[in-house]
């Protein structure tokens, strides 16, 4: 099984209409996205624009389709798009394989980053960086240049550099694994960051360090999709917009105050509406 | 003399082991050698430096090579041995008997590269005997053949002697490789470590048989045996048989055996970071075998092992 579409996607025109509303061209455009996972539909007509430079939060109850959205954008096997479209800077995302999307600048930060024994973190990141550069027709990074950049990025995240010489994430705590994700983001310099429940398993100190790492990556050229169940993460990573995902669709959108409302009142209202 | 060598010399294929022999049921020589090639004496070329020895055994013609090679490491001495078994693309047979004798406190680190032709039928048997306090560390790296049996038999005296019998196999096409080991603990307080890892693709077949025997009275024996294989195709096969025979009371013996596919989650993780599927597979496969490489104590030998395996994997993962 592989990720992908069952139909030939028709490219949406809605991106242009929305451009006027935001004043900025969207980096990520999702239109009427329907996704099925091993049969049953999970996303049922999700539409969303994330303009360049903006941070959007996706909040929703368990089972709303939050992880399905992030896995679909990253092209995980078994997540089948049955209808709709998604584009990055005007380019059809759904026509690309996982590694091609990464080379275009999509970065999914995993809720539970994998442990890969036998592959030192530095080797993994350099392999990924050079594969991306090759796909984009750019020159590979030389070993000394890579090492210099890696040392700077590790220092900024207060990471022990020796950790990067050991097997990727092997024996790391939850906080260390998330820090390793941020380290990879800093090295790979993606255009679209998808943070899937990045706060899960983090204590307050780790949450602060990880959030600072994410905030340091905010730039006018980079957009972020912060997927979270709790408002807590958004105290640290301040979103420009908040969307509520329920029943496989975006059912409400607003400013940061929407997150506070959800924290106070819960998702019940939206779950009932979506049902 | 083992049966393949006798069969070659006497030109009698009924001497060959077949599937009916319990110890050879996954490595049928009789079925693979319908016609016995003409016998020939195997030769070795050697390169010596202080503390290091490189030996090359070359099989160039469609002959039935046989030979016996003894090596002794005197008490207190240390040797790093690189053994290379290299076959030209011919339908040869080879049966080599190697013996290693280690004196008190001696150490031998041995790496054996087995690179036979796809048409070859080969048997390599190493018999190792250790004096107390000796240390034998072996890493067998195998690329398979039509039939390839690599057997190590070690008699362990206990008394602080240490044995490490590791191996790795990388098999593609219709290649077969069999690593069979037997360690007999005959004295008190012997230590033995064994780790064999393999990768099989296409229609290849990997075989591992590991037997540890702890004799009556060999108390304090500490033995660990592990075999782990990655199967990269539906038609590839791995057969394994770890065996512990324990006649002593106070021993610590453990064995582990796993056969599985590449971790799909890890593959997706690598792909999501921009590593193309083929490269991701190769990276994870190499990482799987890395544990065997890391256990090689000698840095130069370790590098040789790592690059040899990486080169074999280029032809397999994908």
């Amino acid at each position: 099984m592989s990720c992908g579409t069952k139909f030939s996607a028709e490219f949406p025109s809605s991106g242009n209409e929305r451009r006027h509303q935001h004043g900025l061209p969207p980096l990520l455009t999702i239109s009427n996205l329907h996704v099925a996972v091993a049969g049953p539909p999970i996303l049922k007509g999700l539409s969303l624009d994330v303009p360049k430079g903006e941070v959007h939060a996706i909040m929703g109850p368990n089972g709303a389709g939050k992880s399905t959205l992030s896995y679909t954008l990253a092209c995980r096997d078994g997540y089948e798009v049955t209808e709709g479209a998604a584009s990055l800077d005007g380019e059809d995302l759904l026509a690309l394989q996982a590694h091609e999307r990464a080379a275009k600048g999509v970065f999914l930060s995993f809720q539970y980053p994998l442990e890969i024994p036998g592959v030192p973190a530095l080797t993994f990141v350099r392999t990924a960086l050079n594969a991306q550069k090759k796909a984009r027709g750019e020159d590979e990074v030389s070993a000394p240049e890579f090492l210099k950049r890696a040392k700077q990025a590790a220092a900024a995240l207060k990471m022990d550099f020796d950790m990067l010489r050991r097997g990727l994430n092997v024996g790391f705590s939850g906080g260390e694994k998330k820090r390793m994700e941020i380290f990879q983001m800093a090295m790979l310099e993606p255009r679209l960051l998808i943070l899937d429940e990045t706060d899960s398993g983090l204590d307050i100190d780790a949450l602060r360090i990880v959030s600072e790492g994410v905030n340091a990556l905010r730039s006018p050229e980079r957009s972020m999709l912060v997927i979270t169940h709790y408002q807590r993460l958004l105290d640290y990573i301040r979103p420009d917009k908040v969307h509520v995902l329920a029943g496989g669709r975006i059912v409400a959108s607003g400013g940061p105050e929407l997150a506070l409302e959800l924290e106070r009142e819960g998702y019940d209202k939206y779950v009932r509406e979506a049902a | 003399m083992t049966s393949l060598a006798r069969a070659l010399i006497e030109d009698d294929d009924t001497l060959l082991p077949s599937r009916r022999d319990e110890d050879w049921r996954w490595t049928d020589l009789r079925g693979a050698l319908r016609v016995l090639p003409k016998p020939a004496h195997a030769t070795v070329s050697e390169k010596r430096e202080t503390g290091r020895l490189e030996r090359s055994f070359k099989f160039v013609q469609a002959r039935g090579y046989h030979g016996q090679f003894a090596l002794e490491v005197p008490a207190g001495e240390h040797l790093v041995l690189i053994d290379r078994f290299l076959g030209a693309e011919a339908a040869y047979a080879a049966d080599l008997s190697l013996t290693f004798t280690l004196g008190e406190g001696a150490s031998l680190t041995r790496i054996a590269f087995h690179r036979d032709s796809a048409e070859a039928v080969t048997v390599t048997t190493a018999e190792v005997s250790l004096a107390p306090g000796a240390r034998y560390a072996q890493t067998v790296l195998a690329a398979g053949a039509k039939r390839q049996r690599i057997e190590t038999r070690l008699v362990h005296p206990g008394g602080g002697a240490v044995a490490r019998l590791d191996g790795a196999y990388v098999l593609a096409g219709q290649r077969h490789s069999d690593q069979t080991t037997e360690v007999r603990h005959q004295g008190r307080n012997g230590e033995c470590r064994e780790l064999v890892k393999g990768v099989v693709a296409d229609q290849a077949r990997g075989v591992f048989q590991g037997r540890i025997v702890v004799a009556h009275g060999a108390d304090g024996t500490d033995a660990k045996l592990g075999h782990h294989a990655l199967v990269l195709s539906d038609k590839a096969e791995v057969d394994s048989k770890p065996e512990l025979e324990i006649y002593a009371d106070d021993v610590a013996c453990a064995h582990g055996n796993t056969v599985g596919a590449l971790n799909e989650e890890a593959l997706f993780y690598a792909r999501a970071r921009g590593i193309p599927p083929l490269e991701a597979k190769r990276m994870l496969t190499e990482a799987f075998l890395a544990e065997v490489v890391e256990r090689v104590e000698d840095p130069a030998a370790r590098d040789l092992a790592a690059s040899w395996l990486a080169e074999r994997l280029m032809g397999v993962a994908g």
Side-chain angles (χ1 to χ4, degrees), chain B residues 83-101:
Chain B
D83 273 343
R84 290 189 176 85
F85 304 86
L86 280 168
E89 290 304 313
Y92 58 87
D95 185 349
L96 302 190
S97 282
L98 315 176
T99 55
F100 300 99
T101 310

Side-chain angles (χ1 to χ4, degrees), chain A:
Chain A
M1 206 166 8
S2 67
C3 85
T5 51
K6 247 190 178 170
F7 64 102
S8 60
E10 208 157 291
F11 229 63
S13 56
S14 53
N16 283 333
E17 294 158 29
R18 285 173 205 168
R19 189 170 302 188
H20 296 294
Q21 294 170 17
H22 290 288
L24 282 166
L27 179 71
L28 175 69
T29 303
I30 302 174
S31 305
N32 190 33
L33 191 66
H34 288 67
V35 175
V37 184
I42 307 293
L43 298 184
K44 304 164 189 168
L46 186 147
S47 295
L48 177 70
D49 275 4
V50 184
K52 268 186 190 147
E54 289 195 5
V55 174
H56 286 206
I58 306 266
M59 299 185 70
N62 290 328
K66 299 194 299 293
S67 285
T68 299
L69 174 61
S70 58
Y71 283 144
T72 302
L73 291 174
C75 194
R76 188 186 176 116
D77 286 351
Y79 289 73
E80 191 180 34
V81 177
T82 53
E83 199 181 333
S87 65
L88 187 77
D89 216 2
E91 206 169 342
D92 184 6
L93 261 190
L94 302 181
L96 303 175
Q97 294 186 51
H99 63 285
E100 295 167 332
R101 295 184 196 187
K104 296 283 182 193
V106 176
F107 185 105
L108 167 63
S109 175
F110 282 53
Q111 187 175 0
Y112 302 108
L114 273 284
E115 294 190 11
I116 307 190
V119 182
L122 280 176
T123 306
F124 181 83
V125 179
R126 199 179 67 227
T127 306
L129 180 61
N130 282 334
Q132 289 196 17
K133 284 189 170 286
K134 195 174 159 196
R136 294 193 292 258
E138 299 167 9
D139 287 340
E140 293 193 350
V141 180
S142 72
E145 172 67 19
F146 176 81
L147 213 58
K148 198 176 119 196
R149 280 187 51 200
K151 279 185 176 153
Q152 286 167 353
L157 285 164
K158 299 180 179 67
M159 288 170 81
D160 177 4
F161 196 72
D162 280 340
M163 273 175 50
L164 296 167
R165 300 187 191 278
R166 299 208 299 265
L168 180 65
N169 290 330
V170 177
F172 287 14
S173 69
E176 286 168 338
K177 285 180 183 170
K178 293 293 161 72
R179 229 181 288 186
M180 187 62 83
E181 294 286 281
I182 311 297
F183 171 79
Q184 293 184 44
M185 285 175 209
M187 295 301 292
L188 297 173
E189 300 181 305
R191 288 193 289 167
L192 174 69
L193 285 181
I194 305 163
L195 304 175
D196 188 5
E197 308 267 2
T198 286
D199 47 340
S200 68
L202 294 190
D203 61 30
I204 289 295
D205 290 331
L207 186 62
R208 187 178 300 120
I209 291 166
V210 166
S211 303
E212 281 168 5
V214 171
N215 286 330
L217 294 173
R218 288 178 89 142
S219 98
E221 295 302 313
R222 183 174 287 142
S223 307
M224 300 188 189
L225 209 50
V226 181
I227 295 170
T228 182
H229 185 82
Y230 299 107
Q231 193 269 337
R232 184 178 75 155
L233 179 65
L234 306 180
D235 287 340
Y236 296 91
I237 304 172
R238 302 286 298 167
D240 297 299
K241 274 203 146 199
V242 174
H243 307 276
V244 181
L245 175 58
R249 290 183 302 120
I250 301 293
V251 294
S253 298
E257 72 285 350
L258 181 54
L260 296 170
E261 181 209 305
L262 289 167
E263 190 73 2
R264 275 196 317 272
E265 297 172 14
Y267 291 110
D268 279 2
K269 177 171 106 186
Y270 298 104
V271 173
R272 274 200 306 275
E273 273 174 28

Side-chain angles (χ1 to χ4, degrees), chain B residues 23-295:
Chain B
D23 246 20
W24 294 82
R25 64 173 160 150
W26 292 316
T27 304
D28 173 26
L29 295 193
R30 203 178 298 174
L33 268 179
R34 297 281 178 211
V35 181
L36 286 168
K38 282 200 180 106
H41 284 285
T43 56
V44 62
S45 59
E46 296 189 348
K47 208 174 101 186
R48 267 178 202 279
E49 282 172 51
T50 318
R52 302 184 86 81
L53 172 61
E54 295 192 23
R55 305 194 295 187
S56 291
F57 302 87
K58 288 185 180 155
F59 315 116
V60 290
Q61 290 174 304
R63 292 296 182 88
Y65 296 91
H66 58 89
Q68 293 172 313
F69 301 86
L71 185 77
E72 189 184 339
V73 185
E77 292 196 10
H78 307 286
L79 182 69
V80 175
L81 172 67
I82 314 281
D83 273 343
R84 290 189 176 85
F85 304 86
L86 280 168
E89 290 304 313
Y92 58 87
D95 185 349
L96 302 190
S97 282
L98 315 176
T99 55
F100 300 99
T101 310
L102 275 68
E104 210 159 311
S107 81
L108 176 58
T109 299
R110 173 176 184 253
I111 302 221
F113 298 98
H114 290 262
R115 195 176 179 185
D116 282 310
S117 97
E119 297 306 314
V121 174
T122 64
V123 176
T124 313
T125 311
E127 305 225 7
V128 186
S129 57
L130 303 181
R135 178 186 173 81
Y136 181 78
Q138 169 179 283
T139 308
V140 167
L141 304 176
K146 187 175 181 184
R147 294 285 187 283
Q148 181 181 63
R149 164 86 151 210
I150 303 162
E151 202 170 305
T152 305
R153 298 183 178 278
L154 185 139
V155 178
H156 202 306
V162 174
R164 176 174 69 69
L165 300 183
D166 289 355
Y169 53 88
V170 178
L171 310 176
Q174 297 187 316
R175 283 172 181 258
H176 161 284
S177 186
D178 167 345
Q179 294 199 23
T180 292
T181 63
E182 183 184 87
V183 177
R184 290 186 171 271
H185 288 273
Q186 297 192 321
R188 297 171 70 91
N189 304 322
E191 185 187 312
C192 173
R193 295 286 178 266
E194 192 167 350
L195 176 69
V196 175
K197 285 191 155 189
V199 177
V200 290
D202 306 326
Q203 297 152 57
R205 185 177 196 191
V207 175
F208 171 77
Q209 305 186 103
R211 183 184 296 140
I212 292 178
V213 184
V214 183
H216 184 72
D219 292 300
T221 292
D222 176 6
K224 273 203 184 80
L225 170 67
H227 169 252
H228 307 282
L230 265 186
V231 180
L232 299 182
S233 116
D234 291 346
K235 290 180 178 158
E237 184 180 329
V238 170
D239 300 292
S240 68
K241 188 171 67 172
E243 282 179 281
L244 301 177
E245 278 179 41
I246 301 169
Y247 303 99
D249 296 326
D250 177 21
V251 298
C253 287
H255 70 91
N257 184 56
T258 59
V259 179
L262 270 180
N263 181 343
E264 289 293 331
E265 295 257 337
L267 266 181
F268 173 62
Y269 186 72
R271 290 171 53 208
R273 294 292 141 90
I275 302 174
L278 263 184
E279 210 176 332
K281 270 189 190 172
R282 202 173 290 139
M283 184 178 75
L284 294 179
T285 313
E286 202 175 318
F288 173 76
L289 296 177
E291 197 183 351
V292 171
V293 173
E294 280 157 15
R295 285 158 61 112

